[in-house]
Structures are given as C-alpha cells and as structure tokens.
Amino acid sequence: MHPGEHLEELEELLGPAGVLTVPSDLVRFTEPYRGAPGPAAAVARPRSVDEVRDLVRWARRHRVRLLPQGANSGLVGASTPPAGAGGSGAPVVVSLERTAGDPLIDPIDRTATVTAGTRLSTLNEKAARHGLVLPIDLCADPSIGGMVATNTGGARMLRHGDMRRHVLGVRAVIADDDASVIDELSTLRKHNVGPALTQLLVGSSGALGIITDVVVDLGRLPDSRSCAWVIPTNADSALEMLLHLERRHGEWLEAFEVVSAEALRSAVAHGAPAPFGPEVVPELSVLIEFAGDAPAEDRLVSALGHLASQGLLTEALVVPADTAWATRHAITEGLRGTGTVLGFDVSVPRPALPAFRERVRLAVAAIDPDALVADFGHWGDGGIHCNVVVPGMATITPDRSAALREVVLGTAVDGFGGSFSAEHGVGPGNADWWYRTVPAPVQRTINSLKRTFDPLGVLGHPGLPFG
Amino acid sequence: MHPGEHLEELEELLGPAGVLTVPSDLVRFTEPYRGAPGPAAAVARPRSVDEVRDLVRWARRHRVRLLPQGANSGLVGASTPPAGAGGSGAPVVVSLERTAGDPLIDPIDRTATVTAGTRLSTLNEKAARHGLVLPIDLCADPSIGGMVATNTGGARMLRHGDMRRHVLGVRAVIADDDASVIDELSTLRKHNVGPALTQLLVGSSGALGIITDVVVDLGRLPDSRSCAWVIPTNADSALEMLLHLERRHGEWLEAFEVVSAEALRSAVAHGAPAPFGPEVVPELSVLIEFAGDAPAEDRLVSALGHLASQGLLTEALVVPADTAWATRHAITEGLRGTGTVLGFDVSVPRPALPAFRERVRLAVAAIDPDALVADFGHWGDGGIHCNVVVPGMATITPDRSAALREVVLGTAVDGFGGSFSAEHGVGPGNADWWYRTVPAPVQRTINSLKRTFDPLGVLGHPGLPFG
C-alpha cells in the first residue's frame, strides 16, 4: 500500500511538525554520506516513546516500512532509503532528533541517561563538566541511538572498547503485535538477570526495534594527553611496537593508528600538517597517543626512547594532540581529492596485519596497476580502513569496481580470516558479504529472531539481510 | 517419557564413558554449592560438537530435558536438577568436562580459544606464560563455558568488566530442528556485522544453547600489585574515597571491596588474618588494590596519604596481596560458622550504597532483632553481597526466611532501583524476582526468543523463567 495515502493519519498522531513531506525538507534525511540517495515517502519525527508506539502501530496497520535513522552519518547505506525504490516501495524515515535533550548525568554513579536523538557532542559537553566522557572517538557526531544501533567503534577502541561496552541498558519500541516497549533502561552495572535484549539491539541497525533512550557508563576525562608521530623501521616493527607499548604502558596507550604513505601523502596534500616535514612521507607512520592521570608526555617520551633503543623506529616526534590528529583526520577528505576512492573497512587478526597489507597490494596491482592502496587504521584492534584509490576523477566501471572490492574483501576474509565490516556495521552496501560469510544456521536464527521483534517486516532498511 | 528407557541409545552415541548413571558417580553433578540436591536421570559427557549435536537430537527425539552444567559452582540453583523431581521429571545433566583441553593462545593477538569444559585456572596458567590473563577474579574455579552462560562478574569487574566484555565469540549447539551449530568463534575484535547471537548466549544459563567453545580477549598481567586495608571515617567517606581513587588513580584501581564489621569479624573468627589486629573491627573497612606497570605500592601509598589528608580515613595499612585477600575470601566460610546464612547478591546505584546499608539494617531488625546484616561487596560496581545471619545453628522457619528475603531484595529493588541478582545470574533460586521485576514485554520477548533456540523446550533448568 502506498504510504502517502495514510500520511494525514500519521500527522494526526505526531502533529504537523512530526511528519515532513516537502521534498526540500527531506534532503538531509535521504542523502547518505557515501552512496546514492533514495526517495522517502516522508520523515516521521516522534518526540516520545508513546509517539514511537503510535508510529509503529500505524506502520503495521498500513504495512509501511519504517527506516530508523540516527544522525545519518553511517557509511554502509543503512540510514537512507534504497535508490530508485520510489512509489509504494518508498519507506518512511524515522528520525529521533526531536527527542534530543539534556543528558541526565550522575557523577557519583558515572552514568548518563540520554535520549536516542541526542548527539555525542552534546553528551560529552555536559559530561566534561563532571570530568567525565563517553570515550568513543569518531570522525563524526552521531546520535546516541544510532551509536547503539550500529555499535560504533573508533580510534580509541583499543583502550575503551566499542559502544556495546558502554551501554548499560536501552529502552526501545519493537514492532510486535503490541508495539511493545522493551524497557531495560537501568543504570546498574551489576544486574545479571538472564538474556539481555539490550545486547541484541546493539548493532541491530534498526531492524529489531526503535531505540528511544540509552544509559551509558562514562569514563574519566584524562588529566593529560600526549601524541607522537613515529616512523617504524618496517611493518613488523610497527606490530612489535604495539606489543611493547601494550605490555609496558598498557594503562597509557590510547591510540595506535598506522598510516600508509599513500594515505599520509593525500592528507598533507589536502593541507593537513606534515608530521615529518613536507618532503618526508615514510612508507608507514604511526600516530601514538598516551593519556592518563599524570603528565603523559614524560611517559610517552620515555617509551619512545625505549622503542628507539630496540631499533623499532627511525624517527619519533612529539606533536600537540590537535595537530597530530588533524593529519590523521584529513586522510579521508585528502583521498577524495586524489581520485576515485573505494573505501573498505576490514579487520584481520593482529599478527596478520603486515602480511595482509602486502598481499592486498599485490592483488590490487594485478587487477589495476594504476590503483593505489591507501590504508590506515587501528592496528590495536586489527582494524584497517583499506582504501583503494583510482587516480584521476573519471568514474570507474562497475566491473572494475566489483573486481577491486572482491580482492580486498576476499583477501581479508578468505585470506586471513578477517571481517568484511570491522566497525561500520551491515547495510545494503555490504549485505552480499553478510550472506556469503555468516554461517547459514546463524543467518536462519537471526531471521527467526527478527520475526519475534517484527513479525510483519516493517522495521529497518529493506536492503538489510536481517531487515 | 522416562529418559532411563533411552539411555542405552545415548550410550551408543557418546560411548560408555559418555554417560554416567551409577549414583555415586552422579553426586558431584547433582549436589549444588548452595541449596538442596536433586536427582538426575544421568550425566552426559560429550567430547565434541558432533557429540553435543547427537545428544541434542536424542533429547528432542525423546523429549528429555538437558541441563547444561559448567563446574557446578553457581549459586542460584541453576546447575543442578530440581529437588524432588525424580522419575520421568529428572533431567540429564550435560557436562562438557571431557572437552577440557589446552587453550590456544595467540600472544600477538592477545586472544585465547578455549573449549567450554576448560577451567579458568587452566587458561590462566597457560596465559601467564605469555604475561597475559583473563582478569575475572572469583572465589571459585569455574569452567569457561559456565562463565559465559552465567556472565560472571567478580571482585575486579570495576577495572576489567564482566565476562561479556571479554568474550569475542562462541560456538554453541542450539535445540532447533537441526540441532544447529551457531558458529561465531572468531578472534576478531572488530567484526561488527549485525545482531550477535554470542551476546544472547552470554548470561543465558544454558537455556538457549550448549556452549562448546569460546574465544576471549586477554589482558596483560600487571607487573606490580599492592593492597591496603583501610578504615574509612564513615560510609559516605568510603564512597568519596572511591570517587577520588577513580578520578586520580583510575588506571591503577583494581579492586575496592567494602566490608562490614559483621563480615570482617566472622572472617577473623574463621582464622583469617586480622588486618587491624585482633581487637579492632571497624564498622566498615575497605580492601583497596592497585595494579599496574610500575611499582604499585609507591602509587598506593601516595594515594592513601592524600585520602588521609582529606579526612576520609582513620587508618590505612599496606598488606601483602595474598594476606589482604585471604581475609576478604574467608568471609563466606566465616559467616557459615556463626549461624544460618541467607545470602543475597544485590546491587544499587553507587550513590545509594550508604543509604541502602542503613535502611536494610533497620528493615531486617524490624523482622528479627537477632539477625545480623553482614554485607561486603564491590562498591565500584554498586554490588553488595548482603548476607543476613541468624545466630546459632538452628534452622530458621521458611516464613522467617521468606520475610527476611522480602525485605532485603525489596529494599534493594523497590527502595533504590537496584537488582535482585547483581552477578550470580538467574536460576530457580531467584526466579520469582525475575517474574516480579522484569517488565512483561521483556519476559514475553525472551520467551519468544527461547522458542527459536529450543522450540520443544528440552534445554536448561526447568525452574528457569526462560527455561
């Protein structure tokens, strides 16, 4: 049934500001950060749990697909409607942005109770007043609900873990016959009472429920932070440096970001600070961050001295944290300036990182000698953003793009037992690899669980494997 | 149908050593650590995933209840058969102990792949050779599979988190029509590919699947460890000490165990070292542990000096770690020597800890002026083992016991928004409070999920709310 026929009914439920239908109002909800935009029948903006329930009941009544969206900063195509599926296939995007509010922070408990539409930056601004932080570091400002639904990781996961580790409980509306409220919104750290539905909602990409509220465990803001850019002797030395730092300075190690020459060059070309001067672009460089409750720089300098004495590095420069990260954060934009970028977010077991880099370069070169592998990533968790850049601004053919994708993901998954989606989650952009790599009994079981949460299939992006 | 009729068939599947039926062989599987024993039709001891599948198919064929058991060290009655349910109601206990083997440790990856029947002590002995540890600290030596199924917490959870935080993936056999293998046995830290069945199996008490293998993330063994017993000025000071230590020494704080006079007195009477000498039993004492990669004692002494200068403590003694923990670990046995112990494992939000202690004492005294509240616990995570001791060795009446239980759990849950099971999990011993406190839509949804994993209802303790 065409959702348009029922939008007046929805407007009665959510109020006039609760339903957007003017095309210019929809653009920010239908254009993804990466990939092609797709048409939405409308954007629903409920303000409360009751309004979310009304919305779900409406969608069930009329068999309209609801597509929950956070801050639309996802990278796997799961937050915007599929391209070209207009008419009766167009979903209603659900935005919780009007729930955004003032996080409730308990500094003695070190917890925050937050509505789903609240941005990470809003939470962290308020948490900082108490010396606290939700220590998930991303090149984006997602909504808290979106962070739970996609289980975001980030550059400091090595130390602080992913979103799952910080979520103490959620409240969500599922699409069963009652549009039930799953209320596990507790601030308790120790509350071990059987299977936790919260844990199933983490990473569910909006296909199992619409998250309305979240309780997170907060960490302490460190008193001191210090960064260095380092040139490792080679890739094996980079891995050895990581192990040494974990072993001897584990309480301090906040990030260990390894950047290829290709990635660093493009960041510098984009105007980012050149860590080793404009002339020096080493084959690999490492951004190391220490943070803690005493002067971090002293500790970092002493650690670097030890690494140098072991012959693991050839140069190390302590750099102000903002400057150091400015280079790292400029990579993605920088790469876009040098050609057509195919971005892959893979992981492999940590011992395989150097070999993976070598093998993926050979495999890409065999297909396209002009293509560059511009990888950078979070070696501490085995994550690599393995970008393939085809120089020049010409669009590449779908066949060539598919072949490059096949070798990169195939090398990670089949070659080294890695993952096709280290931290970005699953969406239509990588659903084919979900079908290919997730064992059939797991697929079957997840699809069966889906029917408990959403028997009519009205929740989540239609291109999700479990949507 | 009586399982006994089909045990020969089971023996053909698992071999003669795979099925125990001689009563004297069954005792260690049917007698719980706490509570009354119950009869088992047999103990099945499969050695492999295939044998677990055969066992599940057998149980489905004959509608026999399987009760998965780890090391039988649980405290909520979920690991042994219900008392008095002999004959056709007696389940077959499933022990994975014959899968116990050599953990596969990857020191570069900091991961271990372990069979479910392997004990924590075996894993940690091998991990220690690489300077690594699974940092879950318990007064027991559970099996790894049991630790996942119950999501164990422990005394160092403040720093290292619960079992969930360390589980990277599991392999399990569920009881669907195919006795499917759910294989999520990956060593990847970053593998963010949608809903994770592993996370649903964590804490499922054996009711959703039989876990056969586990991959865990290992931590580093600290180079240095130091402990102190401290007398806080009062309960509020204890909480303030905790906050100060987290804020200024968070990377060092490994445990913060607060012990009541009643609990300390019984440990000392039981022969444990008296931290402040035999004559001094303060109203509250705190065991503080620091651990890290530099001399922990220097850091601890300096922290204690600061706490003293703030007037938060009246005495602080640095004590060798073994001696310090010997006192703490003697509490449970010590209490048993002083009377009838009713043990409750509750948690409350951290700010409520002092008020909870006061209110629960008043409530218990109103029911039984002779009863002592001998609490101790992990204040860092809001957990309190709130024991009520009725002096003397006479058994107390069921009515009195029920009334005491009602006020302790009621004060935690209804009075302070706490939990009736902070870390012990759910079993027949506390199922009534699960029904009472878990919202009806959550109960309904969990029961619906259960039908996906086990449509015939052959898995898990029959007294589990989701069994």
Side-chain angles (χ1 to χ4, degrees), chain A residues 105-168:
Chain A
I105 292 179
D106 184 330
I108 300 180
D109 217 21
R110 273 203 294 104
T111 56
T113 306
V114 199
T115 50
T118 304
R119 297 294 186 111
L120 176 60
S121 59
T122 306
L123 169 59
N124 273 339
E125 203 175 295
K126 184 152 186 206
R129 292 182 219 158
H130 303 282
L132 299 172
V133 64
L134 177 62
I136 306 249
D137 179 63
L138 302 162
C139 299
D141 187 18
S143 70
I144 299 298
M147 291 177 77
V148 176
T150 56
N151 189 24
T152 48
R156 293 189 174 106
M157 183 172 139
L158 165 65
R159 170 118 169 226
H160 301 288
D162 54 12
M163 192 62 181
R164 186 186 298 284
R165 187 180 291 186
H166 296 274
V167 173
L168 295 175

Side-chain angles (χ1 to χ4, degrees), chain A residues 190-191 220 246-247 347, chain B residues 190 220 246-247 347 419:
Chain A
K190 278 195 168 163
H191 182 45
R220 295 169 319 106
E246 281 192 345
R247 204 157 40 224
S347 69
Chain B
K190 279 196 167 162
R220 294 170 319 105
E246 282 193 343
R247 206 157 39 225
S347 69
S419 176

